[in-house]
Amino acid sequence: MRKIETLLNAYGESHQNSTNKLIHWFCVPLILFCLIGFVKMIPSPFFSDSFLMSTEYIVFFLSVIYYLNLSGSLTIGFIIVFFSMSYLNTKLEQVCDSLGWSYIMVIIIIFVIAWIGQFIGHKIEGKKPSFMQDIQFLLIGPAWLLHFIYRKLNIAY
């Protein structure tokens, strides 16, 4: 069995309850969205005006390397999701600025609510979140959701 299949199966073991699964369809993307937003705000340790040397894209490239070691096709899906969420973060920041809201506070509120949702889902499931066993499962959550989309579309992963 390929490593990606092993990881997806292991992740799926604590995600059998339909309510928990539904919660994950909302909360995992929201958490990823917020993480991208947080990383966008970290000043680059390299060149402040360089697009590709921004902290956001350094983290992106490291994530792509991780996903490439698991599945090329899931990596493509991750790239699409990442750039979509990065774009939406930029738009949210613009909306917050126009309304006089604190972008960081909005991201923090979404992040906290999404994590509360995750823990409620796992309480319903009766199992601890997978990442408590192995931190890499924080990166497997988005891949787990993508693999369902791929299966629906008959795309090999």
Side-chain angles (χ1 to χ4, degrees):
M1 186 178 297
R2 292 178 28 223
K3 184 175 180 179
I4 186 61
E5 292 166 352
T6 302
L7 289 168
L8 293 173
N9 289 337
Y11 189 88
E13 287 175 14
S14 61
H15 301 86
Q16 298 295 310
N17 179 280
S18 60
T19 302
N20 187 28
K21 284 182 181 179
L22 180 63
I23 288 170
H24 276 64
W25 276 100
F26 289 98
C27 293
V28 168
L30 286 173
I31 290 168
L32 181 60
F33 174 81
C34 292
L35 289 173
I36 291 169
F38 290 140
V39 171
K40 282 175 78 95
M41 291 183 258
I42 300 171
S44 173
F46 302 105
F47 307 101
S48 62
D49 61 346
S50 174
F51 170 75
L52 291 178
M53 295 307 285
S54 70
T55 305
E56 175 187 14
Y57 288 99
I58 292 168
V59 171
F60 166 74
F61 289 127
L62 292 173
S63 300
V64 165
I65 290 167
Y66 175 80
Y67 282 115
L68 275 172
N69 284 312
L70 298 176
S71 165
S73 63
L74 284 175
T75 302
I76 293 168
F78 171 76
I79 291 168
I80 293 167
V81 167
F82 177 87
F83 281 108
S84 299
M85 289 189 173
S86 180
Y87 174 78
L88 291 172
N89 260 288
T90 300
K91 290 299 175 189
L92 177 61
E93 188 173 14
Q94 291 169 354
V95 168
C96 287
D97 286 346
S98 71
L99 296 173
W101 297 353
S102 168
Y103 170 67
I104 184 75
M105 286 308 298
V106 170
I107 292 293
I108 289 170
I109 291 166
I110 294 169
F111 188 74
V112 168
I113 291 170
W115 272 110
I116 290 170
Q118 290 283 85
F119 283 106
I120 289 170
H122 281 286
K123 180 75 172 166
I124 293 166
E125 179 87 39
K127 295 181 183 171
K128 291 181 182 178
S130 301
F131 75 88
M132 290 187 168
Q133 298 170 16
D134 186 341
I135 196 76
Q136 78 176 315
F137 282 113
L138 288 172
L139 288 169
I140 297 303
W144 185 71
L145 296 177
L146 273 174
H147 104 279
F148 286 113
I149 295 169
Y150 277 37
R151 275 207 258 166
K152 271 277 199 225
L153 299 174
N154 291 320
I155 298 172
Y157 58 89

